Amino acid sequence: MSGTLTHDRLLRKDELPAGLAGHLAEFTRIAGARDFPCVFAPQALRQDQLLFGAGDVRQDGWDAAVTLMDLAAQAIWEDPDQVVVVWLDGIDSRGLDDDHRAFRQILCTLLEADGAWPDDAPRDPADPGWNFWYRGIDFFVNVSTRHHRLRRSRNLGTPFTLVVQSRASFDRLPGSAAAARRRIRLRLAHYDAIAPSPHLGTHGEAPELPQYFLGDSNGCPYRALTAQDLPGRPATAWRQG
């Protein structure tokens, strides 16, 4: 990040500083390509619908993730369909196992910052109705890293990348959400050098957590959290400002 510290606000692509030009160029080249499996990504880029945030774990520690996810939560409170791209530099990783450990650390740090959970929301990540709740938002987190080789759809460039949005926003996709999922998964089969993960599924029918971080094999899924990691505190209202 060329010495840039963790951002204190989210930015549109044209607002990003010069030090992040490389990250944006990589992301745009990959996610904006016509063959990228997520058919909504190129349109979101063209229409400048995405917000971006960047942080440096080496300089700011794991609190960088807290700062950026707080900003993402505020953005989603303001626009429930907002998609936020979070870039985290400075993570010491030599492969996907290290990346997964980093992701677990991020989630645990977020739980320490705000462990509030809706009373009626499942706390066991193995429950098909489970969501990762943070600042009152039912987050879906898509993790992409430079170490994904076979699962190309989870490699969005050099930085450790989280693409986050409200899980409920998938239910508001144009047309049929089920049809969109089928189309994306068909495109995955052509784009990736590995068959689509058997852990992909529909909310309420398949656990969400294994879908956040998909590895380069279709064996046992990565599980970043267990029920024991989840707090028991009730949810509290949160707004920034």
Side-chain angles (χ1 to χ4, degrees):
M1 291 178 60
S2 303
T4 302
L5 295 174
T6 299
H7 286 173
D8 58 4
R9 66 188 183 97
L10 300 177
L11 302 168
R12 297 292 176 184
K13 61 182 181 180
D14 293 338
E15 300 173 319
L16 291 170
L20 292 173
H23 287 2
L24 179 62
E26 283 187 301
F27 182 87
T28 301
R29 175 178 57 81
I30 297 168
R34 293 182 62 183
D35 63 342
F36 190 69
C38 179
V39 295
F40 302 104
Q43 176 180 336
L45 277 165
R46 287 195 305 271
Q47 298 182 359
D48 200 20
Q49 295 172 343
L50 302 176
L51 286 172
F52 295 87
D56 194 315
V57 172
R58 186 175 294 113
Q59 296 184 73
D60 296 332
W62 296 110
D63 285 346
V66 174
T67 297
L68 294 169
M69 287 295 285
D70 281 355
L71 293 171
Q74 180 62 36
I76 293 169
W77 274 112
E78 294 171 2
D79 177 359
D81 294 328
Q82 181 65 59
V83 178
V84 178
V85 179
V86 172
W87 291 318
L88 289 171
D89 285 307
I91 292 177
D92 184 15
S93 175
R94 295 173 177 82
L96 286 173
D97 288 346
D98 287 342
D99 289 333
H100 183 255
R101 281 189 284 271
F103 180 51
R104 171 175 166 76
Q105 183 61 58
I106 289 168
L107 293 183
C108 289
T109 302
L110 293 173
L111 289 173
E112 290 174 4
D114 176 48
W117 217 256
D119 289 336
D120 58 350
R123 285 176 168 79
D124 184 353
D127 190 313
W130 182 88
N131 296 299
F132 183 77
W133 289 91
Y134 184 71
R135 305 299 192 196
I137 300 295
D138 56 337
F139 273 101
F140 185 89
V141 184
N142 179 306
V143 183
S144 295
T145 82
R146 67 183 183 275
H147 295 117
H148 283 89
R149 300 285 188 253
L150 300 179
R151 205 174 301 280
R152 294 172 56 219
S153 56
R154 290 299 180 105
N155 185 331
L156 292 174
T158 303
F160 191 100
T161 303
L162 309 178
V163 181
V164 303
Q165 62 195 103
S166 165
R167 206 290 314 162
S169 67
F170 291 112
D171 298 334
R172 297 187 291 271
L173 291 172
S176 166
R181 284 192 294 270
R182 287 194 298 269
R183 184 180 178 192
I184 290 170
R185 289 168 190 175
L186 179 63
R187 291 167 65 88
L188 283 172
H190 294 282
Y191 187 85
D192 288 341
I194 186 173
S197 172
H199 309 298
L200 292 174
T202 302
H203 185 260
E205 299 177 5
E208 293 275 289
L209 184 62
Q211 301 179 59
Y212 292 1
F213 191 107
L214 298 175
D216 263 357
S217 75
N218 284 333
C220 294
Y222 284 103
R223 299 186 188 279
L225 295 173
T226 68
Q228 287 68 43
D229 294 312
L230 272 295
R233 300 202 302 275
T236 54
W238 181 86
R239 296 289 192 281
Q240 182 172 318

